[in-house]
Amino acid sequence: MTTAQDEDLLAGFEATLARHERIEPRDWMPERYRRTLVRQIAQHAHSEIIGMQPEGNWITRAPSLRRKAILLAKVQDEAGHGLYLYSACETLGTSRRELTEMLISGKQKYSSIFNYPTLSYADVGTIGWLVDGAAICNQVPLCRTSYGPYGRSMIRICKEESFHQRQGFELLATMMRGSDEQRAMVQESVDRFWWPALMMFGPPDAESPNTAQSMAWGIKRDTNDELRQKFVDMSVPQARALGVTLPDPDLVWNQERGHHDFAQPDWEEFAAVVAGGGPCNAQRVAHRREAHENGAWVREAAAAFAARQFPVAEEPAPASASKPPQEQEQERES
Ligand SMILES: [Fe+2]
Ligand SMILES: [Fe+2]
């Protein structure tokens, strides 16, 4: 802060947060608040877009027309979530083109869960149940986040995420009522996705240096460990209802705490996947880059169409220049 005016602006910003009111795009905000938001919203938007790939992989192989229609609608919802979030990010002064560039060049991240493969149709159910379930735990508190456009987009997104979670649970419940082979398929899928789902909340609080600042700014409302606990407590009775076993021998109800105790995921694996070493990192980004390049003609056509619909008004030329050359000659002669 250099001047009294800057201090006034900062005091106004902090007073807005203290009143639990929203910060809007035209309001003054500290540069670090803006940068933190761009990073968080972009990472969220990229996760929605990249997250279309593991499930999109099964659209052509859905076992029935009903399952295909549900999966198509779900994957399409994720595209919509990505677009709301890119729009929210644009209100902070970073364009969708820049954000896409940062994703396909590896400068910005997306959720590590989408770097795991989908090996069976049960994975569609497990992703809906556990991955969208974890997303709901993360995102419901973000409906009250301090930045207006982000909070408002989250309200709409959360409504759709709860449909995603239910369709996943319903698919797994149907398979669990089927054959032994189908039940084994569900269990195998849950065994693979349980630990990566726990990683979705980010590293333990002690290793999450940005959490305190993000909570002070009202960008984040709960810590990573609080959200992880909530997710485990929510998932245990659902697993019981399904008849699947969560692959954690340490998972047990702790009467004193009023929560489940559970084991930590392999944080070394998490670090390796975030650093680009997961089973599908290269494939996911390459696929996104290819789709972006193949879509160049669509962007060009849309820009050309927009230019024709809304031609940019040309500046009026000086009076003499707008007359035909012959008249200009005559004026000079007279
Ligand atoms: Fe989503
Ligand atoms: Fe979703």
Side-chain angles (χ1 to χ4, degrees), residues 50 56 88 90 99 131 150 164 200 296:
I50 295 285
E90 287 192 307
L99 294 166
V131 177
Y150 190 27
H164 297 171
M200 285 177 69

Side-chain angles (χ1 to χ4, degrees), residues 36-46 84-86 88-89 92 147 149-150:
T36 302
L37 272 173
V38 168
R39 184 171 47 91
Q40 183 175 328
I41 302 173
Q43 183 168 330
H44 191 166
H46 298 328
Y84 305 155
L85 291 165
Y86 282 134
C89 214
L92 292 158
Y147 187 58
Y150 190 27

Side-chain angles (χ1 to χ4, degrees), residues 3-299:
T3 65
Q5 198 193 5
D6 287 340
E7 277 169 29
D8 280 354
L9 289 168
L10 184 62
F13 169 82
E14 283 174 350
T16 305
L17 293 183
R19 290 194 303 271
H20 300 289
E21 286 175 13
R22 303 267 209 204
I23 305 294
E24 295 297 339
R26 286 182 190 171
D27 294 341
W28 181 90
M29 61 187 83
E31 215 29 54
R32 277 184 58 221
Y33 175 86
R34 183 186 300 274
R35 277 203 308 272
T36 302
L37 272 173
V38 168
R39 184 171 47 91
Q40 183 175 328
I41 302 173
Q43 183 168 330
H44 191 166
H46 298 328
S47 302
E48 302 283 357
I49 296 297
I50 295 285
M52 294 163 75
Q53 291 185 38
E55 289 182 283
N57 179 33
W58 285 92
I59 291 173
T60 55
R61 289 172 288 169
S64 68
L65 183 60
R66 177 171 177 267
R67 292 293 169 198
K68 195 193 286 274
I70 294 171
L71 185 54
L72 264 174
K74 198 246 182 196
V75 171
Q76 208 166 13
D77 282 355
E78 306 299 7
H81 298 171
L83 298 188
Y84 305 155
L85 291 165
Y86 282 134
S87 300
C89 214
E90 287 192 307
T91 66
L92 292 158
T94 307
S95 71
R96 191 166 135 200
R97 179 205 292 253
E98 291 170 281
L99 294 166
T100 302
E101 284 298 328
M102 286 193 272
L103 170 63
I104 62 183
S105 64
K107 285 193 195 111
Q108 281 181 337
K109 305 277 182 214
Y110 53 87
S111 178
S112 60
I113 190 91
F114 301 119
N115 291 313
Y116 290 86
T118 43
L119 304 179
S120 78
Y121 203 78
D123 289 357
V124 170
T126 308
I127 288 178
W129 175 43
L130 292 180
V131 177
D132 289 273
I136 292 170
C137 286
N138 263 329
Q139 293 172 7
V140 165
L142 291 176
C143 296
R144 293 179 293 115
T145 195
S146 60
Y147 187 58
Y150 190 27
R152 287 189 289 274
S153 61
M154 290 318 304
I155 292 169
R156 186 158 176 182
I157 289 173
C158 283
K159 287 185 181 156
E160 294 180 345
E161 296 300 1
S162 81
F163 156 70
H164 297 171
Q165 207 239 2
R166 279 156 203 232
Q167 68 81 34
F169 187 88
E170 190 265 348
L171 167 54
L172 296 184
T174 305
M175 290 183 79
M176 291 303 284
R177 286 195 301 272
S179 64
D180 286 346
E181 263 177 319
Q182 285 175 305
R183 276 187 285 278
M185 217 190 240
V186 172
Q187 184 62 56
E188 188 274 334
S189 173
V190 170
D191 289 347
R192 270 185 292 114
F193 274 97
W194 175 249
W195 299 109
L198 290 187
M199 295 175 195
M200 285 177 69
F201 300 94
D205 292 348
E207 287 150 47
S208 178
N210 299 325
T211 294
Q213 179 63 82
S214 288
M215 287 183 75
W217 277 333
I219 294 176
K220 234 174 138 160
R221 294 290 183 191
D222 305 270
T223 73
N224 298 353
D225 286 335
E226 285 165 0
L227 292 167
R228 199 169 0 255
Q229 180 72 64
K230 199 167 155 195
F231 173 71
V232 171
D233 290 341
M234 179 182 103
S235 300
V236 169
Q238 293 175 354
R240 202 174 299 130
L242 279 174
V244 296
T245 307
L246 296 173
D248 178 359
D250 298 337
L251 187 60
V252 62
W253 175 252
N254 183 325
Q255 186 67 38
E256 219 169 286
R257 290 201 308 122
H259 291 291
H260 292 86
D261 290 337
F262 59 97
Q264 290 293 308
D266 179 349
W267 291 116
E268 279 178 28
E269 177 184 316
F270 174 72
V273 175
V274 169
C280 300
N281 294 59
Q283 180 191 334
R284 300 289 187 237
V285 174
H287 190 83
R288 182 70 197 89
R289 183 181 298 120
E290 196 188 323
H292 183 66
E293 285 163 5
N294 290 342
W297 70 273
V298 179
R299 291 189 294 278

